[in-house]
Amino acid sequence: MTLTDAAAEADLVEVVAALVASDHRRGWAIKDSFNGVELSCLGFEVLFDAQWLFLESPAGNIGPDDLAIVASETELTAWERAWAGPETGPDARPFRPELLSDPDIVFASLLWDGVIVGGGILNRGAGVVGLSNVFGPADAVDQVWQGLTALASNRFPGLPLVGYETGSDLTVACRNGFEAVGDLRIWHRQDRP
């Protein structure tokens, strides 16, 4: 992840080149936090462009029955399957169960008739609450965003919410009070044999 803007582009490209040279066989991904670094010269391709999001004062009045906090490894497995989709294999486990005991991380689920249909992740750090991995059906996506915003306000009072989105997810976030505040780009480079 880059943490400086385009003024330091030459230095950033040099650092990324050294990382790639350290292991040509693995794939790489770079979050260009300011969309200010050109990495195609190193074999990277743009995965997607997005907008940073900001919400100064999260608030909401969604009830406790609307969102459930994931509390067990079994619930986390169900959350991951709902988030990743039905085509995901049973061994796909991107989130370690240890995260559930971290007071700064909250996995939340929107349940319909006991089935997870939506949710997201809140994580507190650096004076803000990050909001990521938001998912839900089209007819409930606003409910998910509003619920996560309210949960963040209740769980981490007084902290602004940040995240990033693209496309229709960006539209939904802005419709639910977030402001688009800057560009970012995700680069990726496939592993080489």
mmCIF file of all heavy atoms in Angstrom, residues 12 38 51 57 71 109 126 137 139 151 171-172 175 180 185 187 190:
data_model
loop_
_atom_site.group_PDB
_atom_site.id
_atom_site.type_symbol
_atom_site.label_atom_id
_atom_site.label_comp_id
_atom_site.label_asym_id
_atom_site.label_seq_id
_atom_site.Cartn_x
_atom_site.Cartn_y
_atom_site.Cartn_z
ATOM 1 N N LEU A 12 8.785 5.306 -5.009
ATOM 2 C CA LEU A 12 7.840 4.202 -4.851
ATOM 3 C C LEU A 12 8.046 3.134 -5.912
ATOM 4 O O LEU A 12 8.026 1.940 -5.616
ATOM 5 C CB LEU A 12 6.404 4.720 -4.900
ATOM 6 C CG LEU A 12 5.951 5.521 -3.695
ATOM 7 C CD1 LEU A 12 4.610 6.184 -3.957
ATOM 8 C CD2 LEU A 12 5.875 4.646 -2.463
ATOM 9 N N GLU A 38 2.614 5.065 -11.425
ATOM 10 C CA GLU A 38 2.493 4.299 -12.676
ATOM 11 C C GLU A 38 3.335 3.038 -12.540
ATOM 12 O O GLU A 38 4.556 3.116 -12.420
ATOM 13 C CB GLU A 38 2.963 5.140 -13.868
ATOM 14 C CG GLU A 38 2.992 4.416 -15.180
ATOM 15 C CD GLU A 38 1.667 3.787 -15.549
ATOM 16 O OE1 GLU A 38 0.637 4.488 -15.518
ATOM 17 O OE2 GLU A 38 1.663 2.579 -15.870
ATOM 18 N N GLN A 51 -12.981 5.178 -5.322
ATOM 19 C CA GLN A 51 -13.014 6.441 -4.594
ATOM 20 C C GLN A 51 -12.958 6.165 -3.100
ATOM 21 O O GLN A 51 -13.659 5.278 -2.593
ATOM 22 C CB GLN A 51 -14.324 7.200 -4.892
ATOM 23 C CG GLN A 51 -14.394 7.819 -6.259
ATOM 24 C CD GLN A 51 -13.500 9.038 -6.326
ATOM 25 O OE1 GLN A 51 -13.597 9.949 -5.509
ATOM 26 N NE2 GLN A 51 -12.618 9.057 -7.310
ATOM 27 N N SER A 57 -19.834 11.873 10.870
ATOM 28 C CA SER A 57 -20.597 11.551 12.079
ATOM 29 C C SER A 57 -21.593 10.438 11.805
ATOM 30 O O SER A 57 -22.756 10.692 11.518
ATOM 31 C CB SER A 57 -21.343 12.798 12.571
ATOM 32 O OG SER A 57 -20.444 13.828 12.852
ATOM 33 N N ALA A 71 -19.797 -14.027 16.112
ATOM 34 C CA ALA A 71 -19.119 -14.274 17.380
ATOM 35 C C ALA A 71 -18.394 -15.609 17.468
ATOM 36 O O ALA A 71 -17.629 -15.823 18.389
ATOM 37 C CB ALA A 71 -20.133 -14.180 18.523
ATOM 38 N N SER A 109 -23.541 -9.329 10.242
ATOM 39 C CA SER A 109 -24.369 -10.032 9.260
ATOM 40 C C SER A 109 -25.789 -9.488 9.279
ATOM 41 O O SER A 109 -26.352 -9.248 10.352
ATOM 42 C CB SER A 109 -24.456 -11.528 9.595
ATOM 43 O OG SER A 109 -23.199 -12.124 9.603
ATOM 44 N N ALA A 126 -6.130 4.143 13.877
ATOM 45 C CA ALA A 126 -5.658 5.464 13.444
ATOM 46 C C ALA A 126 -6.732 6.532 13.559
ATOM 47 O O ALA A 126 -6.817 7.446 12.741
ATOM 48 C CB ALA A 126 -5.125 5.399 12.016
ATOM 49 N N PRO A 137 -28.079 -8.118 -0.928
ATOM 50 C CA PRO A 137 -28.926 -8.113 -2.119
ATOM 51 C C PRO A 137 -29.380 -6.696 -2.452
ATOM 52 O O PRO A 137 -29.440 -5.830 -1.573
ATOM 53 C CB PRO A 137 -30.104 -9.001 -1.719
ATOM 54 C CG PRO A 137 -30.176 -8.886 -0.232
ATOM 55 C CD PRO A 137 -28.745 -8.701 0.231
ATOM 56 N N ASP A 139 -32.166 -5.371 -2.931
ATOM 57 C CA ASP A 139 -33.311 -4.833 -2.197
ATOM 58 C C ASP A 139 -33.032 -4.599 -0.714
ATOM 59 O O ASP A 139 -33.909 -4.153 0.022
ATOM 60 C CB ASP A 139 -34.544 -5.715 -2.382
ATOM 61 C CG ASP A 139 -34.330 -7.151 -1.934
ATOM 62 O OD1 ASP A 139 -33.176 -7.579 -1.782
ATOM 63 O OD2 ASP A 139 -35.343 -7.854 -1.747
ATOM 64 N N LEU A 151 -24.074 0.609 13.611
ATOM 65 C CA LEU A 151 -23.251 -0.260 14.450
ATOM 66 C C LEU A 151 -21.905 0.399 14.756
ATOM 67 O O LEU A 151 -21.427 0.356 15.889
ATOM 68 C CB LEU A 151 -23.045 -1.610 13.764
ATOM 69 C CG LEU A 151 -22.197 -2.643 14.512
ATOM 70 C CD1 LEU A 151 -22.820 -2.974 15.870
ATOM 71 C CD2 LEU A 151 -22.045 -3.903 13.667
ATOM 72 N N THR A 171 -22.128 4.427 -5.534
ATOM 73 C CA THR A 171 -23.407 5.142 -5.583
ATOM 74 C C THR A 171 -24.214 4.877 -4.318
ATOM 75 O O THR A 171 -24.764 5.797 -3.710
ATOM 76 C CB THR A 171 -24.207 4.715 -6.829
ATOM 77 O OG1 THR A 171 -23.429 5.004 -7.994
ATOM 78 C CG2 THR A 171 -25.538 5.434 -6.902
ATOM 79 N N VAL A 172 -24.274 3.623 -3.904
ATOM 80 C CA VAL A 172 -25.031 3.262 -2.704
ATOM 81 C C VAL A 172 -24.416 3.918 -1.470
ATOM 82 O O VAL A 172 -25.124 4.456 -0.617
ATOM 83 C CB VAL A 172 -25.097 1.732 -2.532
ATOM 84 C CG1 VAL A 172 -25.712 1.362 -1.192
ATOM 85 C CG2 VAL A 172 -25.890 1.107 -3.665
ATOM 86 N N ARG A 175 -25.287 7.531 -1.417
ATOM 87 C CA ARG A 175 -26.717 7.670 -1.129
ATOM 88 C C ARG A 175 -26.986 7.523 0.376
ATOM 89 O O ARG A 175 -27.969 8.034 0.892
ATOM 90 C CB ARG A 175 -27.494 6.619 -1.928
ATOM 91 C CG ARG A 175 -28.979 6.694 -1.785
ATOM 92 C CD ARG A 175 -29.692 5.797 -2.769
ATOM 93 N NE ARG A 175 -29.469 4.386 -2.492
ATOM 94 C CZ ARG A 175 -29.223 3.456 -3.426
ATOM 95 N NH1 ARG A 175 -29.149 3.780 -4.693
ATOM 96 N NH2 ARG A 175 -29.043 2.195 -3.089
ATOM 97 N N ALA A 180 -17.467 10.999 -1.376
ATOM 98 C CA ALA A 180 -16.283 10.567 -2.125
ATOM 99 C C ALA A 180 -15.233 11.658 -1.993
ATOM 100 O O ALA A 180 -15.497 12.817 -2.313
ATOM 101 C CB ALA A 180 -16.630 10.313 -3.576
ATOM 102 N N ARG A 185 -6.226 3.488 -6.635
ATOM 103 C CA ARG A 185 -6.128 2.484 -7.701
ATOM 104 C C ARG A 185 -5.519 1.221 -7.113
ATOM 105 O O ARG A 185 -4.597 1.284 -6.313
ATOM 106 C CB ARG A 185 -5.263 3.006 -8.840
ATOM 107 C CG ARG A 185 -4.934 1.977 -9.905
ATOM 108 C CD ARG A 185 -4.266 2.607 -11.100
ATOM 109 N NE ARG A 185 -5.310 3.237 -11.900
ATOM 110 C CZ ARG A 185 -5.090 4.011 -12.956
ATOM 111 N NH1 ARG A 185 -3.855 4.288 -13.340
ATOM 112 N NH2 ARG A 185 -6.089 4.518 -13.636
ATOM 113 N N TRP A 187 -3.507 -2.062 -8.222
ATOM 114 C CA TRP A 187 -2.697 -2.687 -9.275
ATOM 115 C C TRP A 187 -2.480 -4.145 -8.927
ATOM 116 O O TRP A 187 -2.427 -4.500 -7.755
ATOM 117 C CB TRP A 187 -1.327 -2.017 -9.333
ATOM 118 C CG TRP A 187 -1.283 -0.592 -9.798
ATOM 119 C CD1 TRP A 187 -1.377 0.515 -9.030
ATOM 120 C CD2 TRP A 187 -1.084 -0.148 -11.131
ATOM 121 N NE1 TRP A 187 -1.253 1.638 -9.797
ATOM 122 C CE2 TRP A 187 -1.073 1.265 -11.096
ATOM 123 C CE3 TRP A 187 -0.906 -0.799 -12.357
ATOM 124 C CZ2 TRP A 187 -0.889 2.037 -12.231
ATOM 125 C CZ3 TRP A 187 -0.723 -0.034 -13.484
ATOM 126 C CH2 TRP A 187 -0.727 1.369 -13.427
ATOM 127 N N GLN A 190 0.431 -10.671 -12.090
ATOM 128 C CA GLN A 190 0.301 -12.121 -11.981
ATOM 129 C C GLN A 190 1.654 -12.738 -11.650
ATOM 130 O O GLN A 190 2.706 -12.178 -11.971
ATOM 131 C CB GLN A 190 -0.214 -12.708 -13.304
ATOM 132 C CG GLN A 190 -1.574 -12.194 -13.731
ATOM 133 C CD GLN A 190 -2.677 -12.603 -12.771
ATOM 134 O OE1 GLN A 190 -2.577 -13.606 -12.084
ATOM 135 N NE2 GLN A 190 -3.723 -11.808 -12.705
#
